[in-house]
Amino acid sequence: MSLRNLARKLRVPATAALQQASSTRVSPAAGPRLLASRSSEGSRGFASEVAKPTGKQIKVPEALYGGTGNYASALFLTAAKANLLDNVESEIKTVVEASKKSPMFSQFIKDLSVPKETRVKAITEIFAEAGFSDVTKNFLAVLADNGRLKYTERIAERFVDLTMAHKGEVKVVVRTVIPLPEKEEKELKETLQDILGKNKTILVEQKIDYSIMGGLVIEFGQKVFDMSIKTRAKQMETFLRQPLEF
């Protein structure tokens, strides 16, 4: 099912479970209690429940921390063992896009006052109808069960970080005031290839940022190379403000 069709189904009264979820509430105090009681079980339960042991030893390509990191790691391991990494990545991105396009769905995934059973039923029905894989459906059901649906976008981002690391891909964000000419982008890729290694695939994403005033800022991983005119101007100002020594 296309994103457009999925978003349309989430906007109109086509899914009875989602309509029920929108109209069914529990007391405000019950939501936090439910969330607290389930928060420590989610990602471990999903990985052990869905992923069947295989002969292949699969490891997470890089360590992620925090709640969203744990969920993303569990999803990665499960999808990798099922040989469905690309499918699951596409599906989880579709969920994020649907939440942005459908106010009804966006509100639903953030509303902890909806009873757990109603959340799980709605999610299961919606994404079964959308033809999602069992891995993604079960994962979303776990998030619904644990009151973690509102973190889907952040979990998806961290899951994509893992799939890129697994495939040897490195995303490089280049901020400039005008698009880089094709020749300069090629030279930048070649330089980054020498730095990161020939076994890496460089994915350059260009972003226009007028605030840097000129030059460029390159970001990948935890590294930032700031060669912007804005930063150079600040450095020059700091230098000029220093007292003169005779």
Side-chain angles (χ1 to χ4, degrees):
M1 175 180 292
S2 69
L3 172 59
R4 182 177 301 175
N5 289 337
L6 176 58
R8 184 168 62 248
K9 285 181 177 296
L10 295 172
R11 281 198 300 270
V12 301
T15 306
L18 186 54
Q19 284 185 295
Q20 179 186 355
S22 299
S23 60
T24 307
R25 298 289 185 272
V26 295
S27 66
R33 286 201 303 271
L34 173 64
L35 180 59
S37 67
R38 303 287 299 186
S39 61
S40 63
E41 303 173 8
S43 56
R44 293 193 302 271
F46 169 75
S48 60
E49 177 182 321
V50 180
K52 303 300 182 185
T54 64
K56 188 192 301 183
Q57 186 69 22
I58 298 174
K59 296 181 179 180
V60 178
E62 58 185 45
L64 298 181
Y65 301 98
T68 57
N70 291 338
Y71 277 107
S73 298
L75 180 58
F76 176 87
L77 289 172
T78 306
K81 288 177 181 178
N83 198 27
L84 289 172
L85 276 175
D86 290 341
N87 286 36
V88 172
E89 181 178 345
S90 175
E91 290 168 350
I92 203 72
K93 286 180 177 178
T94 297
V95 176
V96 172
E97 288 302 311
S99 70
K100 294 177 180 179
K101 291 179 178 292
S102 169
M104 183 180 183
F105 184 56
S106 178
Q107 176 60 31
F108 168 70
I109 65 176
K110 296 174 184 175
D111 192 351
L112 285 179
S113 67
V114 177
K116 175 181 65 175
E117 294 78 9
T118 305
R119 286 198 305 266
V120 174
K121 181 181 178 185
I123 287 297
T124 302
E125 289 187 4
I126 290 169
F127 294 105
E129 186 178 352
F132 277 24
S133 65
D134 287 342
V135 171
T136 306
K137 282 188 300 182
N138 290 343
F139 180 72
L140 292 170
V142 168
L143 293 185
D145 187 52
N146 294 326
R148 289 292 195 263
L149 282 172
K150 65 180 180 179
Y151 300 113
T152 301
E153 182 173 0
R154 180 57 181 152
I155 293 170
E157 290 173 352
R158 305 194 79 181
F159 175 76
V160 171
D161 288 342
L162 291 176
T163 61
M164 289 182 66
H166 175 70
K167 292 182 282 190
E169 297 175 346
V170 179
K171 180 180 178 181
V172 178
V173 177
V174 180
R175 293 192 284 134
T176 57
V177 294
I178 59 173
L180 278 179
E182 185 176 341
K183 181 181 178 181
E184 290 186 18
E185 182 179 353
K186 181 181 178 182
E187 291 174 351
L188 175 62
K189 280 186 176 180
E190 290 174 350
T191 301
L192 290 170
Q193 199 79 65
D194 290 338
I195 295 172
L196 298 172
K198 300 298 182 182
N199 61 331
K200 299 293 184 182
T201 301
I202 310 298
L203 304 177
V204 175
E205 177 184 350
Q206 292 195 45
K207 290 186 177 182
I208 302 301
D209 183 356
Y210 297 112
S211 70
I212 68 172
M213 300 169 61
L216 72 164
V217 178
I218 303 171
E219 305 171 46
F220 61 91
Q222 304 298 316
K223 300 182 182 296
V224 178
F225 295 92
D226 190 339
M227 295 170 280
S228 66
I229 290 179
K230 180 179 180 180
T231 297
R232 290 178 184 176
K234 286 184 176 179
Q235 291 171 344
M236 179 63 73
E237 180 182 1
T238 300
F239 173 75
L240 293 174
R241 287 181 181 277
Q242 292 177 354
L244 295 176
E245 297 182 1
F246 297 98

